[in-house]
Amino acid sequence: MTDLVEQDTRAMSVAVTKSRYQSEEFSARLRRRYAAERRFRIAGMLAVGIASLMLVVLLGSIVSKGYTAFWQAQIRLEVTLDKQQVEERNYTALVRQALYAQVPAATDRATRRSLNDLLSSGAPYELEAMVNANPSLVGTTQTVWVRADDEIDQFMKGFIRRDVPESERRLNDVKIAAIDALVANGSIRSTFNTTLFTAGDSREPEQAGILGAVVGSALTLVVTMLLSVPIGIAAAVYLEEFAPKNRWTDLIEVNINNLAAVPSIIFGLLGLAVFLGFFGLPRSAPLVGGLVMALMTLPVIIIASRVALKAVPPSIREAALGVGASPLQTVTHHVLPLALPGILTGTIIGMARALGETAPLLMIGMVAFIVDIPGGLTDSATAIPVQIYMWADSPERAFTERTSAAILILLAFLILMNGLAVFLRKKFERRW
Amino acid sequence: MQLTVLLIILALLTVIGYQMGRSRAVASVGGRIVELHSVPSYHGFYVALWAGLPALLLFAFWGASEGWLVMQMVLSGLPDRLVNGDAQSLGLLRADILNLAHGVATGREPDPEVVAAAERYLRLHALGDWSLLVIGCCVAIGGLLYARGRIDPDLRARNRVERTVNIALVICSLVAILTTIGIVLSLLFEAIRFFAVVNPLEFLFGTHWSPQMAMRADQVGSSGSFGAIPLFAGTLLITGIAMAVAVPVGLMAAIFMSEYASPGLRTWLKPILEVLAGIPTVVYGFFAALTMAPFVRDVGNSLGLSVSSESALAAGFVMGVMIIPFVSSLSDDVINAVPQSLRDGSYGLGATKSETIRLVVLPAALPGIVAAVMLAVSRAIGETMIVTMAAGLTANLTANPLDAVTTVTTQIATLLVGDQEFDSPKTLSAFGLGLVLFVVTLTLNMVALRVVQKYREKYD
C-alpha cells in the first residue's frame, strides 16, 4: 500500500504537466480504493478478533463459574460417640445432637428441623466411616469436620444473596441466623473439595465427584486406543505402501474420507443396533463405548498416518530395497520409524477427540446415573463429557459450579494431550 | 478371568515361540546363518504366528458366538410352557435369565425354572470358559510344536510371514468398509421396521411431529405423529444461523492469516483457532445453554422482543463459533494453494492487496472454499450436543430465530436416551431420522469431495 503511494507521488512530481494521474477524479478513486483496502484489512482483523474474543468469553465464563467448585464448606462438630448410639448405628442422631450443641440458641423443634438441613445428608456416613476405621474412638468426644449441605456452601460462596426477600430465597432466615452463629464461633470453614476428585456421581451436589467418570473415560479410551491405533496404522501402511491402484482401493479411500465426516451420533446408532442389539453386549459399558469410539477415530488415524507415511521420501525406500530388504522390511525397518512421530501426533489428536465426544455415548446408554466407580470393561460406567451433560441438566446451583469444574478438568486433559502432540511434532519435525 | 489368563498364556507362548524358532533355525545350520533361506528372526516370527494366531482366531470366534450358543443350550432345557411363546416373550425370558445370572434385580418374583436356567447359564458359561482355556492352550502349543518341527534351512519363513502380515493389513483396511456397511445396514433395517408402521411420505412431508406413543390404545393421541418437516426446518434454521456466523468470520480470518498477518502474529493466531476447534461440543452446549441463551434473551427483552429462553439464535450462534476454525483452516489451505504468480500478476497491474484477494485469489480458490462450506454445513447438520442442550425440544415450524426449535439430532438423542422399549415406532423413528441425516451429510460430503477433485490444481 505504502509502495503505491510513493510511486504515485513520484509519478506526480515527474509529470509536471497535467496528466490524468493528477486529476481530481483519479485521486478520489485512489482514496476510495485505499479506503476499501483498509476496510477489508479491518474486516479480517475483526474476524480474527471475534474468534479470539469468543474463546476468551467461553473460557472466562466457564472458569468464573467453575473455580469455586474446588472449595467446599465444612461444619465443625464436637461429636460424643456414645457407645449405645454407635451400636445402634444411629449416627444421624449423633451428628444432629452435636450440631444442636453448636447453636445453643436453637431450642424449639422448627428451628432444629431447619438446622438439620445445614448438614449434608452424607455427614452421618462420614462419621460412620471414621468410626469403622478406628473403633477405639467409641465413647470419646471428637472434633470432626463434616460436609455442609450444598445450599449452605452456595450461601458461603455468595451465590445466595442475603438481601432478597425470604420467600424468594433458597435459605430461610432461621438458617441464615444459624449459619451466622456458626461462622461467629468458627465452626464453618472452606476447604479444598477432595470429594470432587474421589467420589462417583451423586444426586447431592456436595457428595458428587468426577472420579467415576474419569475412570469410565479412561477405560473407554484404552479400548479405543487398543483397537483403533493398530488397525489404523495397518490400514494406512497397506493403502500407502502396498495397495495396488484399482477400484477396490479407491472404494476404500472414498469410504475412509466419508467416514471421517459422518456425524458422530450416527456412530452411536450403529453401536446401538450392532453392538447392543445384534451382539448383545452390555449397555452403558466402556467396552461398547470404546468400540464405537474406535470406529469413529479410525478414519482420523488412517488419514493422519497416511500423511505421515507420504512425507517419508521415496529415496529411503529405494535405498532399503536396493540393499535387498523386502517391501515389508523396508516399511517396518525404515519407513514406519521415520513416520512414527507424525502418526503419533495424529493418534493423540484422534484420542483427544474421542475423549471429548458425547453423542455416541448417549446412544449406547452411558448416560445412566452411576454412583460406583467402574472396575472393569463391562461394568456400567459414564464418561467425563457425559457427566458434564448430565450435571448441566441438574437444577441445583451447586451443580452448575460442578459442571464448570468438570469442564475445566476435561479441558485440562485435552490441553495436556494436544500439548503432547505439539511437543512431539516440534521435537521430531524433520525436513528432508 | 479365564479369558485374561488365556490371553496372558498366549502372549507368553508367542514370545517363547519366537525365541524357539530363532534359536532352532540358527542351530539347524550350525551357526552359519548365510545358509538359511530367511533371517533367523523370520523363523522366530513364523513359530510365533503359528503359536498365537490359530488360538486367537478360536478365541475371537468363541467370543462372538459364546453368548448365543450358551443361551440356546439353556433355552432348550426349559419346559415348553416358558419357551413356546412369541418372539417378544422369548426375548423377555432371555433378558430375565441374563439379569438373574448377572445379579441384576428385575423387580419381579422370578419363576423357579428361570432361576434354575440362570444357574445353568452361569454353569455352562464357566464350563465354556474353562474349556476355551484348555482348548486354546492345546491349540497354541500344538501350533508351536508343529511350526517348530518345520524349521529347516530351506523353509521359506520370510515369504510365509510376510504373506500373513499382508493379509492382516488388507483386513485392517477393510474395517472402514465394514463400518460403512454396518452403518448402512443397521440404519436401513431399523428404518424399514419404522416405515412398516409409518408411511415414508407422511414421515418426509408431514408437518406435525409428536412421537409420543400411548401405552393403551384408547388414550388421547395414541397413534403418535411422525411428520418430520418441523425437524428439518429447525435443523436448516440453526444451520443457516451457524453458517451466517462461521462463513464470513472463518473466511475473513483465513484471508487475514494467510495474506496480511506477519509470521509472528500467525504463530499466535493459529493455535487460538486450533484451541477453538479442540473444545468438546458438550462444552459449547453448556456455554450456549447457560451463558449465550440468557444473554440473547435479556438483550431481546430489553429491545422489546419476545425471545424464548431456548432460542435457535443462541444455539446457532454458538455452533457457528464452533465451526469457525473448521472453515478457516480449510479455506486457509485452499488460499495458500493459489500460486503466487497470480498474485504477482495482479500487483503488477497496480491492484491493491484487497483487490487482488477479492478479484483474483478468491475466485481461484472458490471451488475449495465451496467444498469447505459444504463440509461445514454437513458438520452443522450433524452436530448434536449444542442443539440438544440449547435448542429445546418443541417441534416448531417457524422461521423466527428467536423461537425454540428442535433438530433431527436432538430428536434422535432424546428418543433413544432413557428406558425405552426398542421396537415401538417412537424409538424406531430415531433410526428413520438417522437414515435421513446420514444420506444428507453423505451427499454433501460426496459433492464437496467431487468439487475439490474436479477443480484442484487447475493453476499448477
Side-chain angles (χ1 to χ4, degrees), chain A residues 166-182:
Chain A
E166 189 179 3
S167 56
E168 293 168 19
R169 211 188 306 130
R170 302 274 315 209
L171 290 174
N172 58 21
D173 287 341
V174 179
K175 282 185 198 168
I176 290 185
I179 294 171
D180 287 340
L182 286 173

Side-chain angles (χ1 to χ4, degrees), chain A residues 4 33-34 36-41 43-48 50-52 54-55 57-59 61-62 65 230-239 242 248 251-252 254-259 261-267 269-270 272-274 279-280 283 295 298 302 324-329 332-333 352 355-359 362-363 367 385-386 388-389 392-393 399-400 403-404 407 410-411 414 418 422 425, chain B residues 39 42 64 98 158 161-162 165-166 168-170 172-177 179-183 186-187 190 248-250 252-257 260 269 272-276 278-284 286-287 290-292 317-318 321 324 350-355 357-358 362 375 378 381-385 388-389 409-410 412-414 416-419 422 430-431 433-435 437-438 441-442 445-446 449:
Chain A
L4 281 172
R33 287 174 64 201
Y34 284 156
E37 169 72 31
R38 266 194 304 279
R39 281 199 302 276
F40 196 75
R41 199 192 159 97
M45 284 202 262
L46 223 66
V48 174
I50 288 174
S52 324
M54 286 316 295
L55 183 67
V57 169
L58 177 72
L59 294 182
S61 91
I62 283 164
K65 278 199 182 82
I231 296 181
I233 295 177
V237 165
Y238 176 72
L239 290 174
F242 297 113
W248 269 104
L251 184 72
I252 295 176
V254 171
N255 242 300
I256 289 167
N257 285 330
N258 275 332
L259 274 186
V262 167
S264 59
I265 196 165
I266 300 275
F267 283 96
L269 290 176
L270 168 80
L272 178 60
V274 174
F279 288 117
R283 265 172 83 81
L295 294 183
L298 199 56
I302 295 179
S326 73
L328 192 71
Q329 282 172 324
T332 50
H333 296 176
L355 178 62
E357 197 56 68
T358 322
L362 300 186
M363 297 291 95
V367 66
V386 184
I388 291 167
Y389 171 67
D393 258 4
F399 267 125
T400 307
T403 312
S404 305
I407 288 176
L410 177 62
L411 288 181
L414 289 179
N418 282 314
V422 171
R425 195 178 348 181
Chain B
V39 187
Y42 270 109
L98 282 180
R158 195 190 79 189
V161 170
E162 292 199 344
V165 172
N166 256 325
L169 291 181
V170 173
C172 286
S173 68
L174 287 180
V175 170
I177 289 197
T179 310
T180 313
I181 294 174
I183 289 176
S186 60
L187 289 179
E190 309 284 319
V249 176
M252 285 311 293
I255 290 171
F256 182 77
M257 286 202 308
Y260 285 106
L269 289 178
I272 287 181
L273 285 180
E274 272 170 14
V275 170
L276 217 48
I279 291 175
T281 53
V282 69
V283 177
Y284 281 109
F286 180 71
F287 176 68
L290 249 87
T291 308
M292 210 60 215
F317 181 81
V318 173
V321 172
I324 288 173
T352 62
K353 208 159 196 172
S354 71
E355 283 163 350
I357 293 166
R358 271 183 289 138
L362 284 187
L375 288 177
S378 99
I381 290 176
E383 167 48 39
T384 313
M385 295 321 292
T388 303
M389 293 170 85
T409 47
T410 312
I412 295 177
T414 46
L416 288 177
V417 169
D419 290 327
F422 280 102
F431 288 90
L433 290 174
L435 189 64
L437 182 66
F438 181 68
T441 51
L442 191 67
N445 297 335
M446 290 287 220
L449 286 177

Side-chain angles (χ1 to χ4, degrees), chain A residues 271-390:
Chain A
L272 178 60
V274 174
F275 297 132
L276 300 189
F278 190 72
F279 288 117
L281 293 173
R283 265 172 83 81
S284 311
L287 177 66
V288 183
L291 281 168
V292 172
M293 291 293 185
L295 294 183
M296 223 182 69
T297 48
L298 199 56
V300 179
I301 293 179
I302 295 179
I303 292 170
S305 306
R306 288 191 68 176
V307 171
L309 287 171
K310 209 176 274 178
V312 177
S315 54
I316 288 175
R317 294 183 186 84
E318 282 152 16
L321 291 171
V323 295
S326 73
L328 192 71
Q329 282 172 324
T330 306
V331 171
T332 50
H333 296 176
H334 302 277
V335 181
L336 258 187
L338 288 173
L340 211 56
I343 294 177
L344 218 58
T345 314
T347 304
I348 294 172
I349 288 169
M351 289 297 126
R353 258 173 67 176
L355 178 62
E357 197 56 68
T358 322
L361 299 183
L362 300 186
M363 297 291 95
I364 55 151
M366 281 184 89
V367 66
F369 172 71
I370 290 146
V371 178
D372 296 327
I373 313 291
L377 289 180
T378 50
D379 286 2
S380 288
T382 185
I384 309 175
V386 184
Q387 188 73 78
I388 291 167
Y389 171 67
M390 281 157 70

